[in-house]
Short mmCIF file of all heavy atoms in Angstrom, two decimals:
data_model
loop_
_atom_site.label_atom_id
_atom_site.label_comp_id
_atom_site.label_asym_id
_atom_site.label_seq_id
_atom_site.Cartn_x
_atom_site.Cartn_y
_atom_site.Cartn_z
N PHE F 57 -19.18 22.02 1.76
CA PHE F 57 -19.13 23.20 2.61
C PHE F 57 -19.67 24.36 1.80
O PHE F 57 -19.14 24.69 0.74
CB PHE F 57 -17.72 23.51 3.10
CG PHE F 57 -17.68 24.64 4.10
CD1 PHE F 57 -17.74 24.36 5.46
CD2 PHE F 57 -17.61 25.96 3.69
CE1 PHE F 57 -17.74 25.40 6.39
CE2 PHE F 57 -17.60 27.00 4.61
CZ PHE F 57 -17.67 26.71 5.96
N HIS F 58 -20.73 25.00 2.29
CA HIS F 58 -21.35 26.11 1.59
C HIS F 58 -20.78 27.44 2.11
O HIS F 58 -20.64 27.63 3.32
CB HIS F 58 -22.86 26.07 1.80
CG HIS F 58 -23.52 24.94 1.06
ND1 HIS F 58 -24.35 25.14 -0.02
CD2 HIS F 58 -23.46 23.60 1.24
CE1 HIS F 58 -24.77 23.99 -0.48
NE2 HIS F 58 -24.25 23.02 0.27
N GLU F 59 -20.50 28.32 1.19
CA GLU F 59 -19.94 29.62 1.54
C GLU F 59 -20.79 30.34 2.58
O GLU F 59 -20.27 31.00 3.48
CB GLU F 59 -19.82 30.47 0.28
CG GLU F 59 -19.22 31.85 0.50
CD GLU F 59 -19.08 32.61 -0.80
OE1 GLU F 59 -19.63 32.18 -1.82
OE2 GLU F 59 -18.41 33.67 -0.78
N SER F 60 -22.10 30.21 2.48
CA SER F 60 -23.00 30.88 3.42
C SER F 60 -22.79 30.41 4.85
O SER F 60 -23.16 31.10 5.80
CB SER F 60 -24.46 30.65 3.02
OG SER F 60 -24.77 29.27 2.98
N ARG F 61 -22.17 29.24 5.02
CA ARG F 61 -21.91 28.72 6.37
C ARG F 61 -20.95 29.63 7.13
O ARG F 61 -20.93 29.63 8.37
CB ARG F 61 -21.35 27.30 6.28
CG ARG F 61 -21.36 26.53 7.59
CD ARG F 61 -22.74 26.07 7.96
NE ARG F 61 -22.73 25.26 9.18
CZ ARG F 61 -23.06 25.71 10.38
NH1 ARG F 61 -23.44 26.97 10.53
NH2 ARG F 61 -23.03 24.93 11.44
N LEU F 62 -20.15 30.41 6.43
CA LEU F 62 -19.23 31.33 7.09
C LEU F 62 -19.99 32.35 7.94
O LEU F 62 -19.45 32.90 8.89
CB LEU F 62 -18.34 32.06 6.07
CG LEU F 62 -17.36 31.19 5.28
CD1 LEU F 62 -16.64 32.04 4.24
CD2 LEU F 62 -16.36 30.50 6.20
N TRP F 63 -21.23 32.66 7.57
CA TRP F 63 -22.03 33.62 8.33
C TRP F 63 -22.82 32.94 9.45
O TRP F 63 -23.10 33.56 10.46
CB TRP F 63 -22.99 34.35 7.40
CG TRP F 63 -22.36 35.46 6.64
CD1 TRP F 63 -22.32 36.79 6.96
CD2 TRP F 63 -21.66 35.35 5.40
NE1 TRP F 63 -21.64 37.50 6.01
CE2 TRP F 63 -21.21 36.65 5.04
CE3 TRP F 63 -21.34 34.28 4.56
CZ2 TRP F 63 -20.49 36.90 3.87
CZ3 TRP F 63 -20.62 34.53 3.41
CH2 TRP F 63 -20.21 35.83 3.07
N SER F 64 -23.18 31.70 9.27
CA SER F 64 -23.99 31.02 10.30
C SER F 64 -23.14 30.31 11.34
O SER F 64 -23.64 29.90 12.38
CB SER F 64 -24.96 30.03 9.65
OG SER F 64 -24.27 29.04 8.90
N LEU F 65 -21.83 30.16 11.09
CA LEU F 65 -20.92 29.58 12.09
C LEU F 65 -20.58 30.67 13.10
O LEU F 65 -19.60 31.41 12.95
CB LEU F 65 -19.64 29.05 11.44
CG LEU F 65 -19.73 27.73 10.69
CD1 LEU F 65 -18.43 27.47 9.94
CD2 LEU F 65 -20.01 26.59 11.64
N ARG F 66 -21.35 30.74 14.17
CA ARG F 66 -21.18 31.86 15.10
C ARG F 66 -20.94 31.41 16.53
O ARG F 66 -20.71 32.23 17.41
CB ARG F 66 -22.42 32.76 15.04
CG ARG F 66 -22.64 33.30 13.63
CD ARG F 66 -23.95 33.99 13.48
NE ARG F 66 -23.91 35.34 14.00
CZ ARG F 66 -24.77 36.28 13.66
NH1 ARG F 66 -25.72 36.02 12.79
NH2 ARG F 66 -24.70 37.47 14.18
N THR F 67 -21.00 30.12 16.79
CA THR F 67 -20.68 29.61 18.12
C THR F 67 -19.74 28.43 17.99
O THR F 67 -19.65 27.78 16.93
CB THR F 67 -21.93 29.16 18.90
OG1 THR F 67 -22.44 27.97 18.32
CG2 THR F 67 -23.00 30.24 18.89
N ARG F 68 -19.05 28.14 19.05
CA ARG F 68 -18.02 27.10 19.04
C ARG F 68 -18.57 25.69 19.20
O ARG F 68 -17.81 24.75 19.39
CB ARG F 68 -16.99 27.40 20.12
CG ARG F 68 -17.54 27.43 21.52
CD ARG F 68 -16.58 28.14 22.47
NE ARG F 68 -16.62 29.57 22.23
CZ ARG F 68 -15.68 30.41 22.65
NH1 ARG F 68 -14.66 29.98 23.32
NH2 ARG F 68 -15.78 31.70 22.41
N ASN F 69 -19.88 25.51 19.11
CA ASN F 69 -20.48 24.19 19.26
C ASN F 69 -20.37 23.34 18.00
O ASN F 69 -20.52 22.13 18.05
CB ASN F 69 -21.96 24.31 19.65
CG ASN F 69 -22.14 24.97 21.00
OD1 ASN F 69 -21.32 24.81 21.89
ND2 ASN F 69 -23.21 25.75 21.15
N SER F 70 -20.14 23.97 16.86
CA SER F 70 -20.13 23.27 15.59
C SER F 70 -18.78 22.62 15.30
O SER F 70 -17.72 23.19 15.57
CB SER F 70 -20.46 24.26 14.46
OG SER F 70 -20.10 23.74 13.21
N ALA F 71 -18.82 21.42 14.72
CA ALA F 71 -17.59 20.74 14.32
C ALA F 71 -16.85 21.55 13.26
O ALA F 71 -15.62 21.64 13.28
CB ALA F 71 -17.92 19.34 13.79
N ALA F 72 -17.61 22.15 12.32
CA ALA F 72 -16.97 22.94 11.27
C ALA F 72 -16.28 24.17 11.85
O ALA F 72 -15.19 24.56 11.39
CB ALA F 72 -18.01 23.35 10.22
N TYR F 73 -16.88 24.79 12.85
CA TYR F 73 -16.29 25.96 13.52
C TYR F 73 -14.93 25.58 14.11
O TYR F 73 -13.91 26.25 13.88
CB TYR F 73 -17.25 26.40 14.61
CG TYR F 73 -16.89 27.68 15.34
CD1 TYR F 73 -17.55 28.87 15.03
CD2 TYR F 73 -15.95 27.70 16.36
CE1 TYR F 73 -17.25 30.05 15.71
CE2 TYR F 73 -15.65 28.87 17.04
CZ TYR F 73 -16.30 30.04 16.71
OH TYR F 73 -16.00 31.19 17.37
N LYS F 74 -14.91 24.48 14.86
CA LYS F 74 -13.66 24.02 15.46
C LYS F 74 -12.68 23.59 14.38
O LYS F 74 -11.46 23.81 14.50
CB LYS F 74 -13.95 22.87 16.41
CG LYS F 74 -14.83 23.25 17.60
CD LYS F 74 -15.24 22.02 18.39
CE LYS F 74 -16.21 22.38 19.51
NZ LYS F 74 -16.71 21.20 20.22
N GLY F 75 -13.20 22.97 13.31
CA GLY F 75 -12.34 22.49 12.25
C GLY F 75 -11.59 23.60 11.54
O GLY F 75 -10.41 23.46 11.22
N ILE F 76 -12.27 24.73 11.29
CA ILE F 76 -11.62 25.84 10.62
C ILE F 76 -10.46 26.38 11.46
O ILE F 76 -9.37 26.68 10.94
CB ILE F 76 -12.64 26.95 10.31
CG1 ILE F 76 -13.60 26.48 9.21
CG2 ILE F 76 -11.94 28.26 9.89
CD1 ILE F 76 -14.76 27.41 8.95
N TYR F 77 -10.67 26.47 12.78
CA TYR F 77 -9.58 26.96 13.63
C TYR F 77 -8.45 25.94 13.74
O TYR F 77 -7.28 26.32 13.84
CB TYR F 77 -10.12 27.38 14.99
CG TYR F 77 -10.85 28.69 14.88
CD1 TYR F 77 -12.22 28.76 15.03
CD2 TYR F 77 -10.16 29.85 14.53
CE1 TYR F 77 -12.90 29.96 14.86
CE2 TYR F 77 -10.83 31.05 14.35
CZ TYR F 77 -12.19 31.10 14.52
OH TYR F 77 -12.85 32.28 14.32
N ALA F 78 -8.79 24.67 13.69
CA ALA F 78 -7.75 23.64 13.67
C ALA F 78 -6.91 23.76 12.39
O ALA F 78 -5.68 23.61 12.42
CB ALA F 78 -8.37 22.25 13.77
N LEU F 79 -7.57 24.04 11.28
CA LEU F 79 -6.83 24.23 10.02
C LEU F 79 -5.92 25.45 10.10
O LEU F 79 -4.78 25.41 9.62
CB LEU F 79 -7.81 24.40 8.87
CG LEU F 79 -8.52 23.15 8.36
CD1 LEU F 79 -9.58 23.52 7.32
CD2 LEU F 79 -7.53 22.16 7.77
N LEU F 80 -6.40 26.53 10.70
CA LEU F 80 -5.57 27.73 10.84
C LEU F 80 -4.36 27.46 11.73
O LEU F 80 -3.25 27.94 11.45
CB LEU F 80 -6.40 28.89 11.40
CG LEU F 80 -7.39 29.52 10.43
CD1 LEU F 80 -8.34 30.46 11.17
CD2 LEU F 80 -6.66 30.28 9.34
N MET F 81 -4.56 26.69 12.79
CA MET F 81 -3.42 26.33 13.64
C MET F 81 -2.46 25.43 12.89
O MET F 81 -1.24 25.55 13.03
CB MET F 81 -3.91 25.67 14.93
CG MET F 81 -4.56 26.65 15.90
SD MET F 81 -4.86 25.95 17.55
CE MET F 81 -6.33 24.99 17.22
N ARG F 82 -3.00 24.54 12.07
CA ARG F 82 -2.14 23.66 11.26
C ARG F 82 -1.29 24.48 10.30
O ARG F 82 -0.14 24.12 10.00
CB ARG F 82 -3.01 22.68 10.47
CG ARG F 82 -2.22 21.63 9.71
CD ARG F 82 -3.08 20.90 8.70
NE ARG F 82 -3.46 21.76 7.59
CZ ARG F 82 -4.16 21.34 6.52
NH1 ARG F 82 -4.58 20.09 6.47
NH2 ARG F 82 -4.45 22.18 5.54
N GLU F 83 -1.84 25.61 9.83
CA GLU F 83 -1.12 26.47 8.90
C GLU F 83 -0.01 27.27 9.59
O GLU F 83 0.77 27.94 8.92
CB GLU F 83 -2.09 27.42 8.20
CG GLU F 83 -3.07 26.75 7.26
CD GLU F 83 -2.39 26.08 6.10
OE1 GLU F 83 -1.73 26.79 5.31
OE2 GLU F 83 -2.50 24.84 5.97
N GLY F 84 0.03 27.25 10.92
CA GLY F 84 1.10 27.93 11.64
C GLY F 84 0.76 29.31 12.13
O GLY F 84 1.65 30.17 12.27
N GLY F 85 -0.53 29.57 12.41
CA GLY F 85 -0.93 30.87 12.92
C GLY F 85 -0.19 31.24 14.20
O GLY F 85 -0.10 30.44 15.12
N LEU F 86 0.36 32.45 14.24
CA LEU F 86 1.15 32.92 15.38
C LEU F 86 0.35 33.91 16.22
O LEU F 86 -0.46 34.68 15.68
CB LEU F 86 2.43 33.61 14.90
CG LEU F 86 3.37 32.81 14.00
CD1 LEU F 86 4.46 33.72 13.45
CD2 LEU F 86 3.99 31.66 14.77
N ASP F 87 0.60 33.91 17.53
CA ASP F 87 0.03 34.98 18.34
C ASP F 87 0.72 36.28 17.98
O ASP F 87 1.88 36.30 17.57
CB ASP F 87 0.21 34.68 19.83
CG ASP F 87 -0.50 35.73 20.68
OD1 ASP F 87 -1.72 35.90 20.52
OD2 ASP F 87 0.19 36.39 21.49
N TRP F 88 0.02 37.40 18.15
CA TRP F 88 0.55 38.67 17.67
C TRP F 88 1.53 39.32 18.64
O TRP F 88 2.47 39.98 18.21
CB TRP F 88 -0.60 39.64 17.38
CG TRP F 88 -1.51 39.16 16.29
CD1 TRP F 88 -1.39 37.99 15.57
CD2 TRP F 88 -2.66 39.82 15.77
NE1 TRP F 88 -2.40 37.88 14.66
CE2 TRP F 88 -3.21 38.99 14.76
CE3 TRP F 88 -3.30 41.02 16.09
CZ2 TRP F 88 -4.35 39.34 14.04
CZ3 TRP F 88 -4.43 41.38 15.38
CH2 TRP F 88 -4.96 40.54 14.36
N ILE F 89 1.32 39.17 19.93
CA ILE F 89 2.23 39.78 20.90
C ILE F 89 3.28 38.77 21.37
O ILE F 89 4.45 39.12 21.57
CB ILE F 89 1.45 40.35 22.10
CG1 ILE F 89 0.72 41.62 21.67
CG2 ILE F 89 2.38 40.66 23.28
CD1 ILE F 89 -0.07 42.30 22.78
N GLN F 90 2.87 37.54 21.57
CA GLN F 90 3.80 36.48 21.93
C GLN F 90 3.93 35.59 20.69
O GLN F 90 3.23 34.59 20.59
CB GLN F 90 3.26 35.70 23.12
CG GLN F 90 2.98 36.60 24.32
CD GLN F 90 2.26 35.88 25.44
OE1 GLN F 90 2.89 35.22 26.26
NE2 GLN F 90 0.93 36.01 25.47
N PRO F 91 4.79 35.98 19.73
CA PRO F 91 4.79 35.35 18.41
C PRO F 91 5.25 33.90 18.41
O PRO F 91 6.32 33.55 17.90
CB PRO F 91 5.72 36.24 17.59
CG PRO F 91 6.61 36.90 18.58
CD PRO F 91 5.79 37.05 19.83
N GLN F 92 4.43 33.07 19.02
CA GLN F 92 4.63 31.62 19.03
C GLN F 92 3.48 30.98 18.29
O GLN F 92 2.37 31.53 18.27
CB GLN F 92 4.66 31.10 20.47
CG GLN F 92 5.65 31.78 21.38
CD GLN F 92 5.45 31.32 22.82
OE1 GLN F 92 5.28 30.15 23.10
NE2 GLN F 92 5.45 32.27 23.74
N PRO F 93 3.70 29.82 17.68
CA PRO F 93 2.59 29.14 17.02
C PRO F 93 1.48 28.81 18.01
O PRO F 93 1.74 28.38 19.13
CB PRO F 93 3.23 27.85 16.48
CG PRO F 93 4.69 28.15 16.40
CD PRO F 93 4.98 29.09 17.53
N ILE F 94 0.25 29.07 17.62
CA ILE F 94 -0.89 28.72 18.46
C ILE F 94 -1.21 27.26 18.18
O ILE F 94 -1.84 26.93 17.16
CB ILE F 94 -2.09 29.64 18.14
CG1 ILE F 94 -1.73 31.09 18.49
CG2 ILE F 94 -3.33 29.20 18.90
CD1 ILE F 94 -2.79 32.09 18.08
N ASN F 95 -0.75 26.38 19.05
CA ASN F 95 -0.95 24.96 18.86
C ASN F 95 -1.23 24.28 20.20
O ASN F 95 -1.35 24.95 21.24
CB ASN F 95 0.28 24.33 18.18
CG ASN F 95 1.57 24.63 18.92
OD1 ASN F 95 1.58 24.77 20.14
ND2 ASN F 95 2.67 24.75 18.18
N ILE F 96 -1.35 22.98 20.17
CA ILE F 96 -1.69 22.23 21.37
C ILE F 96 -0.66 22.44 22.47
O ILE F 96 -1.00 22.52 23.66
CB ILE F 96 -1.83 20.73 21.04
CG1 ILE F 96 -3.04 20.52 20.11
CG2 ILE F 96 -2.00 19.90 22.31
CD1 ILE F 96 -3.19 19.10 19.63
N ALA F 97 0.61 22.58 22.08
CA ALA F 97 1.69 22.66 23.07
C ALA F 97 1.57 23.90 23.96
O ALA F 97 1.92 23.85 25.14
CB ALA F 97 3.04 22.64 22.37
N ASN F 98 1.13 25.03 23.41
CA ASN F 98 1.09 26.26 24.21
C ASN F 98 -0.30 26.89 24.28
O ASN F 98 -0.43 28.04 24.70
CB ASN F 98 2.11 27.28 23.66
CG ASN F 98 1.86 27.62 22.21
OD1 ASN F 98 0.75 27.53 21.71
ND2 ASN F 98 2.92 28.00 21.51
N PHE F 99 -1.32 26.16 23.87
CA PHE F 99 -2.69 26.68 23.85
C PHE F 99 -3.12 27.18 25.23
O PHE F 99 -3.64 28.28 25.38
CB PHE F 99 -3.65 25.59 23.36
CG PHE F 99 -5.00 26.10 22.95
CD1 PHE F 99 -5.24 26.52 21.65
CD2 PHE F 99 -6.03 26.16 23.87
CE1 PHE F 99 -6.49 26.99 21.28
CE2 PHE F 99 -7.28 26.62 23.51
CZ PHE F 99 -7.51 27.04 22.21
N LEU F 100 -2.87 26.37 26.25
CA LEU F 100 -3.30 26.74 27.60
C LEU F 100 -2.40 27.82 28.19
O LEU F 100 -2.87 28.74 28.86
CB LEU F 100 -3.32 25.50 28.50
CG LEU F 100 -4.37 24.44 28.15
CD1 LEU F 100 -4.25 23.23 29.08
CD2 LEU F 100 -5.78 25.01 28.21
N ASP F 101 -1.09 27.71 27.94
CA ASP F 101 -0.15 28.70 28.50
C ASP F 101 -0.45 30.11 27.97
O ASP F 101 -0.34 31.10 28.71
CB ASP F 101 1.29 28.32 28.16
CG ASP F 101 1.76 27.09 28.93
OD1 ASP F 101 1.13 26.77 29.96
OD2 ASP F 101 2.73 26.45 28.50
N LEU F 102 -0.82 30.20 26.70
CA LEU F 102 -1.12 31.50 26.10
C LEU F 102 -2.54 31.97 26.39
O LEU F 102 -2.89 33.10 26.06
CB LEU F 102 -0.91 31.44 24.58
CG LEU F 102 0.51 31.25 24.07
CD1 LEU F 102 0.52 31.15 22.55
CD2 LEU F 102 1.42 32.38 24.52
N GLN F 103 -3.34 31.09 27.00
CA GLN F 103 -4.76 31.40 27.26
C GLN F 103 -5.44 31.85 25.97
O GLN F 103 -6.02 32.93 25.87
CB GLN F 103 -4.89 32.47 28.34
CG GLN F 103 -4.38 32.02 29.71
CD GLN F 103 -4.55 33.11 30.76
OE1 GLN F 103 -3.90 34.15 30.72
NE2 GLN F 103 -5.44 32.86 31.72
#
Side-chain angles (χ1 to χ4, degrees):
F57 186 93
H58 289 249
E59 181 178 11
S60 58
R61 194 75 177 101
L62 294 176
W63 280 266
S64 59
L65 284 172
R66 301 170 80 160
T67 71
R68 61 197 74 197
N69 296 327
S70 163
Y73 186 102
K74 297 172 184 175
I76 290 172
Y77 286 111
L79 284 173
L80 286 168
M81 287 191 282
R82 186 194 69 176
E83 293 296 298
L86 303 171
D87 185 58
W88 297 0
I89 287 181
Q90 304 172 84
Q92 306 172 44
I94 297 174
N95 54 32
I96 293 175
N98 58 27
F99 195 89
L100 294 178
D101 289 341
L102 293 178
Q103 295 181 292

